[in-house]
Amino acid sequence: MSTYSQRRVSKITVPILTYHNVSERPQGVLHPGLYLHPAQFRRQLAMLRLRGYRGVSIEQALPYLRGEKRDKVAVISFDDGYRDNLQHALPLLREFGFSATCYLVADRIGSYNEWDAELLRVRKPLMTLAEIKSWLAAGMHVGSHTCTHPHLSALAPVQKRGEIINSKARLESLLGIEIRHLCYPYGDYDEDCVVAAKEAGYQTAVTTRRGLARSGSDLLSLPRLGNSGKKPWPIFFARTLAWSN
Ligand SMILES: [Zn+2]
């Protein structure tokens, strides 16, 4: 095999970064790892650029995940659809000319994190429909994070399918765009979920399984990388050195 063809078939990494809240961390909050201070988020974006990476949405990353194109792209993904993503993350993404995907809980738009507010002892506001439209108008993308953010594997098959299929339909009717990407809440999924995601027509589905997605990875169970504010920035930078293109 020639060097040229070897290069053509070699896999590239397409890191998918996971974020939740981009804001100052409230005092005494449980699970502080869900928060990243805007200044830390900005630093991570700067490091991506320094390493030659472009921050993109999962939709924009599809040709790279499919192995049709190769370039240094890193997917920026936000789970749950918090208002602070619009307030704090969006201006920074725009400053760097990056895009991102925000996974929305279809039946909780404009509400708060009902699924874990009690556990975390904090109510975090989710974007309203108008705010989601502002997010989209700024060149950002969205995907589904199911209807109600359940532990999917604990549900009966019919409910499981409903969460995956109905959230897509609901977001499509609210936003007037095709919803092509899914995020399993808590990274909790099973084979039924993958089948339902495929039937519903999702192009990708992301998990919380820690790892680097590559060209040729199974598109309906993609691993991601967490990026909490608990770790100092040199760790983030060191990680990027393991990415290969
Ligand atoms: Zn979530």
Side-chain angles (χ1 to χ4, degrees), residues 20 79-80 82 105 115 145 149 183-186:
H20 287 84
D79 286 12
D80 307 334
Y82 294 107
V105 182
W115 56 91
H145 200 27
H149 205 289
C183 173
Y184 304 114
Y186 312 104

Side-chain angles (χ1 to χ4, degrees), residues 18-165:
T18 308
Y19 299 95
H20 287 84
N21 295 102
V22 178
S23 74
E24 194 128 10
R25 191 164 60 212
Q27 280 290 325
V29 75
L30 300 170
H31 291 275
L34 294 173
Y35 292 84
L36 191 67
H37 191 282
Q40 288 176 296
F41 182 64
R42 189 180 186 286
R43 196 175 290 146
Q44 292 193 359
L45 298 184
M47 283 187 274
L48 289 178
R49 176 184 276 175
L50 184 68
R51 292 273 296 115
Y53 278 83
R54 183 162 51 95
V56 297
S57 68
I58 191 96
E59 175 68 27
Q60 292 167 325
L62 254 185
Y64 305 92
L65 287 163
R66 287 177 173 149
E68 296 161 359
K69 280 186 179 179
R70 47 191 312 147
D71 202 353
K72 291 173 107 173
V73 294
V75 177
I76 299 176
S77 71
F78 297 94
D79 286 12
D80 307 334
Y82 294 107
R83 181 174 289 154
D84 63 40
N85 298 170
L86 182 76
Q87 292 171 322
H88 303 307
L90 177 65
L92 298 172
L93 290 163
R94 295 192 76 173
E95 179 188 331
F96 283 83
F98 291 172
S99 188
T101 296
C102 187
Y103 293 105
L104 305 168
V105 182
D107 290 357
R108 299 292 179 265
I109 288 170
S111 179
Y112 64 95
N113 58 317
E114 291 169 42
W115 56 91
D116 66 1
E118 230 169 277
L119 182 76
L120 300 177
R121 286 188 238 137
V122 60
R123 286 189 176 195
K124 300 184 281 189
L126 297 166
M127 280 191 271
T128 62
L129 187 58
E131 288 168 333
I132 294 166
K133 287 182 176 170
S134 301
W135 173 264
L136 291 169
M140 303 295 132
H141 294 202
V142 297
S144 164
H145 200 27
T146 72
C147 295
T148 66
H149 205 289
H151 283 277
L152 285 169
S153 71
L155 298 181
V158 66
Q159 291 175 301
K160 212 180 280 183
R161 290 173 59 77
E163 287 280 347
I164 290 170
I165 295 166

Side-chain angles (χ1 to χ4, degrees), residues 5-25:
S5 53
Q6 272 171 354
R7 195 177 304 133
R8 278 189 53 190
V9 297
S10 68
K11 292 187 174 182
I12 59 163
T13 53
V14 184
I16 305 175
L17 308 175
T18 308
Y19 299 95
H20 287 84
N21 295 102
V22 178
S23 74
E24 194 128 10
R25 191 164 60 212

